[in-house]
Amino acid sequence: MDPRVREHAAVLVDDCMDVAAEDDVIVIAPSVADDLVVALHERLGELGAHPLTLWNDSTALRAYFRAMDPADFRLPEHELAAMEAADVVIMIGGSENVAETSDVAPETMSARSRAREPVFNTRVEKRWVITQHPAPGNAQKAEMSTDAYADFVYDAVNKDWEAQREFQAQMVQLLEEGEEVRIVSGDTTDLTMSIAGMHGENDAGTANMPAGEAFTVPRPESVEGEVLFDKPLLRQGRELTDVSLTFEDGRVVDYDAAEHVDLLEATLDTDEGARSLGELGIGMNRDIDRFTYNMLFDEKMGDTVHLALGDAIDDCVPEGTTANESAIHVDMIVDMSEDSRIEIDGEVVQQNGTFVFEQ
């Protein structure tokens, strides 16, 4: 086994989740990540914790989804019971074929998301982390050799997270103190939103690994303007490109994409909250320096902003404050490296990818 796999497992168990002997741990993983699953079990065993592995096989899921009538989806009570009993949830990405579910109807996937919403809501209340195993399907989509992709993944995971936290804290403070954000990129994006009273959060190695962003939640009714997501989104095995959204009173009133508009439409129609934003994130990880069609990495790239349709991140929402609710949380990315700026309360805090505190 590559020694970096055991190092990755230790980062997840010890640094991200701080697992102890009394913890019941769910590991959700594809079979292609079995080395990391083995390393996780080894480390959990050393601590005396109790793991349960749920295999997430995309080929099996494709067969199930294509056979399933969308009207027959219901809450999976057994999965909910397992999630309720868990203390920690570790989710691992990795694929032999990133397009395995590309021929599943979008309406089927939306129906499943609605049925599983209580599972999702329970999971986010736990200590949880999402990570990536360097699988060949992901390497191929990134146009990298498997070995080069492994180097890319482990370089992004194994870094000085305390230094990264201090760097990002400067942006988090601006979000904490600000009331209105404006995002401008070329002639295609000019979007404003209120973040008044919302918390800024520092993603530096807990819920995401790799981490590397500052984020907050917009007040759902405040979002106005147009945005073009000029980085592709790989969703349900399909590539959504040049997604454009127009917001009025916080809701998407017009939309388009270069292809797979049906998938975009089904996503927006998932439920009432799917047409509003649940996150504003600002990428700040300079070690993620290339686009790889993997949102866990791509949304952390320096010189990017991402916005998420759907469910708001609870940690950013003060008690008693209304925020968006949905069965989905779908991130999409704007390249901010050229002819772009982020303003907070009228002051430019990033110009063409460079933050004011980097100058």
Side-chain angles (χ1 to χ4, degrees):
M1 182 184 295
D2 188 327
R4 297 177 297 181
V5 178
R6 285 193 171 91
E7 186 177 359
H8 190 180
V11 167
L12 296 170
V13 172
D14 300 326
D15 298 337
C16 296
M17 294 290 94
D18 192 22
V19 174
E22 65 272 14
D23 286 328
D24 292 328
V25 182
I26 290 179
V27 178
I28 303 174
S31 57
V32 73
D34 57 352
D35 275 358
L36 181 53
V37 173
V38 170
L40 283 168
H41 278 65
E42 182 178 62
R43 181 62 189 137
L44 292 168
E46 291 170 351
L47 293 171
H50 296 81
L52 169 66
T53 298
L54 303 178
W55 292 105
N56 186 17
D57 185 278
S58 59
T59 304
L61 287 173
R62 173 188 176 273
Y64 173 65
F65 293 150
R66 286 175 60 85
M68 190 70 170
D69 186 327
D72 289 338
F73 278 108
R74 57 174 173 78
L75 173 64
E77 298 282 358
H78 55 326
E79 186 180 1
L80 178 61
M83 202 64 69
E84 289 173 339
D87 300 298
V88 173
V89 183
I90 299 173
M91 294 164 284
I92 303 168
S95 181
E96 295 279 5
N97 177 7
V98 297
E100 188 63 48
T101 59
S102 61
D103 54 359
V104 175
E107 295 78 11
T108 299
M109 303 297 278
S110 295
R112 180 186 185 243
S113 293
R114 288 191 294 271
R116 294 185 70 256
E117 186 172 6
V119 178
F120 173 81
N121 290 338
T122 301
R123 191 263 294 169
V124 296
E125 294 174 355
K126 306 294 180 176
R127 288 145 55 205
W128 59 272
V129 61
I130 299 176
T131 195
Q132 174 74 30
H133 186 70
N138 303 100
Q140 184 177 39
K141 186 62 179 176
E143 299 183 349
M144 302 171 71
S145 68
T146 304
D147 285 347
Y149 185 68
D151 291 342
F152 171 80
V153 169
Y154 293 128
D155 286 348
V157 166
N158 302 322
K159 61 180 293 178
D160 185 344
W161 289 111
E162 187 55 39
Q164 185 70 27
R165 178 176 294 277
E166 292 177 4
F167 172 58
Q168 293 172 185
Q170 300 171 92
M171 189 66 226
V172 172
Q173 183 177 357
L174 293 172
L175 293 174
E176 279 278 353
E177 296 173 352
E179 294 191 356
E180 184 178 81
V181 175
R182 184 183 182 195
I183 300 165
V184 179
S185 183
D187 298 325
T188 55
T189 295
D190 193 343
L191 200 67
T192 60
M193 65 196 70
S194 171
I195 58 170
M198 298 298 190
H199 297 312
E201 291 290 325
N202 193 338
D203 173 35
T206 51
N208 291 314
M209 183 51 64
E213 65 173 283
F215 62 93
T216 189
V217 168
R219 291 188 173 272
E221 74 285 351
S222 70
V223 183
E224 297 281 345
E226 299 178 351
V227 55
L228 173 69
F229 298 100
D230 46 11
K231 292 295 187 183
L233 167 67
L234 192 64
R235 179 166 171 78
Q236 299 175 10
R238 306 183 195 186
E239 188 175 326
L240 279 166
T241 57
D242 291 334
V243 172
S244 62
L245 303 176
T246 300
F247 288 86
E248 292 180 5
D249 298 324
R251 292 184 57 78
V252 175
V253 295
D254 195 16
Y255 58 89
D256 200 2
E259 54 186 337
H260 300 308
V261 178
D262 60 330
L263 175 57
L264 175 61
E265 183 174 28
T267 300
L268 291 167
D269 290 342
T270 300
D271 52 32
E272 183 66 20
R275 287 179 178 252
S276 296
L277 292 183
E279 180 190 3
L280 161 65
I282 299 167
M284 300 186 69
N285 190 334
R286 299 296 189 196
D287 289 325
I288 300 175
D289 57 1
R290 61 184 294 166
F291 186 81
T292 60
Y293 292 89
N294 185 327
M295 189 58 68
L296 181 63
F297 291 79
D298 298 337
E299 69 175 5
K300 314 301 191 320
M301 285 193 303
D303 308 346
T304 64
V305 160
H306 58 276
L307 301 166
L309 288 169
D311 205 53
I313 300 174
D314 287 342
D315 290 344
C316 297
V317 184
E319 188 174 351
T321 301
T322 300
N324 199 44
E325 295 182 0
S326 176
I328 65 166
H329 183 92
V330 180
D331 294 294
M332 291 180 280
I333 299 173
V334 181
D335 184 349
M336 300 293 288
S337 61
E338 295 181 4
D339 194 20
S340 301
R341 67 185 186 275
I342 303 172
E343 299 177 7
I344 296 181
D345 297 334
E347 298 291 330
V348 176
V349 299
Q350 187 199 70
Q351 184 86 42
N352 298 334
T354 301
F355 295 100
V356 291
F357 43 81
E358 289 184 297
Q359 294 175 348

